[in-house]
């Protein structure tokens, strides 16, 4: 695998492989900047028996309006998604990494599911977790993570799972 750098990333953006509605896509030296969208999903409190995941769970989704924010308390957890919409070619593989300045405050944009499979289309769901003792104000449009893209050695058939074409945070199950 080879990591894509600025020239190749810009070429993908020009082909609409990454789109950010009404704003420019941010291309860095080796990554594409990802920004927080305005929808947040939270699991309802659960006091039932242990189970083996995945499992459909009750959730609530909040959509913020212009100028609104949401507070993520210490040990808080939310699902969110990127403003950027991805149309990944079948010979590219992506990895999501929390922006360093945010991660250093123990706010993580993803913990487990950071890969974007070849052929995926849609927004990227982020697993926001506040591991600090701080209360964080999350604002739509804020930089939250980086997308690193790699070229695979061959084209693959492409992602065809249940998250294909997702345009909102998607919960397990």
């Amino acid at each position: 695998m080879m990591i894509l750098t600025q020239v190749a990333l810009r070429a993908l953006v020009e082909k609409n492989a990454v789109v950010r509605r009404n704003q420019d896509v941010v291309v860095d030296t080796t990554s594409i900047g990802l920004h927080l969208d305005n929808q947040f999903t939270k699991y309802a409190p659960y006091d039932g028996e242990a189970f083996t995941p995945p499992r459909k769970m009750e959730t609530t989704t909040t959509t913020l309006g212009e100028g609104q924010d949401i507070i993520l308390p210490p040990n808080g957890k939310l699902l969110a998604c990127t403003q950027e919409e991805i149309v990944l070619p079948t010979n590219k593989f992506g990895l999501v990494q929390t922006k360093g300045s945010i991660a250093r405050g123990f706010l993580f944009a993803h913990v487990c599911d950071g890969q974007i499979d070849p052929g995926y289309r849609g927004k990227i769901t982020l697993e926001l977790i506040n591991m600090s003792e701080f209360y964080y104000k999350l604002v739509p449009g804020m930089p939250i993570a980086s997308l690193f893209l790699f070229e695979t050695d061959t084209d693959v058939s492409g992602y065809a799972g249940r998250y294909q074409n997702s345009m909102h945070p998607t919960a397990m199950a």
Side-chain angles (χ1 to χ4, degrees):
M1 263 197 230
M2 174 179 67
I3 190 167
L4 302 186
T5 57
Q6 201 166 46
V7 172
L9 293 172
R10 283 203 173 123
L12 282 172
V13 169
E14 288 173 14
K15 293 178 184 174
N16 292 321
V18 179
V19 175
R20 185 174 178 210
R21 296 195 189 277
N22 303 320
Q23 296 193 41
D24 291 335
V25 173
V26 176
V27 178
D28 294 322
T29 307
T30 58
S31 65
I32 292 174
L34 299 175
H35 299 80
L36 200 56
D37 203 12
N38 67 340
Q39 295 180 331
F40 299 88
T41 297
K42 182 176 183 176
Y43 288 103
Y46 179 78
D47 60 358
E49 293 185 28
F51 61 90
T52 301
R55 175 182 173 177
K56 185 164 179 61
M57 303 294 292
E58 183 180 339
T59 61
T60 57
T61 298
T62 301
T63 301
L64 301 180
E66 185 74 28
Q68 291 185 308
D69 57 61
I70 193 166
I71 303 299
L72 187 61
N75 296 312
K77 300 158 203 71
L78 290 171
L79 294 174
C81 64
T82 62
Q83 287 182 334
E84 290 76 13
E85 297 173 33
I86 310 298
V87 180
L88 208 54
T90 56
N91 68 339
K92 304 290 187 277
F93 175 81
L95 290 175
V96 176
Q97 184 71 35
T98 305
K99 285 197 71 68
S101 55
I102 291 173
R104 286 180 179 89
F106 301 101
L107 173 60
F108 301 103
H110 88 87
V111 176
C112 302
D113 194 18
Q115 82 276 354
I116 311 301
D117 291 326
Y120 174 76
R121 294 181 309 276
K123 293 185 176 186
I124 299 170
T125 292
L126 303 170
E127 304 147 0
L128 302 178
I129 299 176
N130 180 357
M131 299 297 289
S132 78
E133 65 271 9
F134 312 122
Y135 287 79
Y136 285 114
K137 184 186 301 185
L138 303 177
V139 180
M142 69 183 276
I144 193 76
S146 298
L147 174 63
F148 296 89
L149 294 175
F150 300 84
E151 191 160 341
T152 60
D153 60 352
T154 62
D155 278 352
V156 297
S157 60
Y159 180 77
R162 78 180 219 55
Y163 303 113
Q164 189 71 293
N165 298 311
S166 180
M167 298 303 284
H168 53 80
T170 52
M172 71 172 159

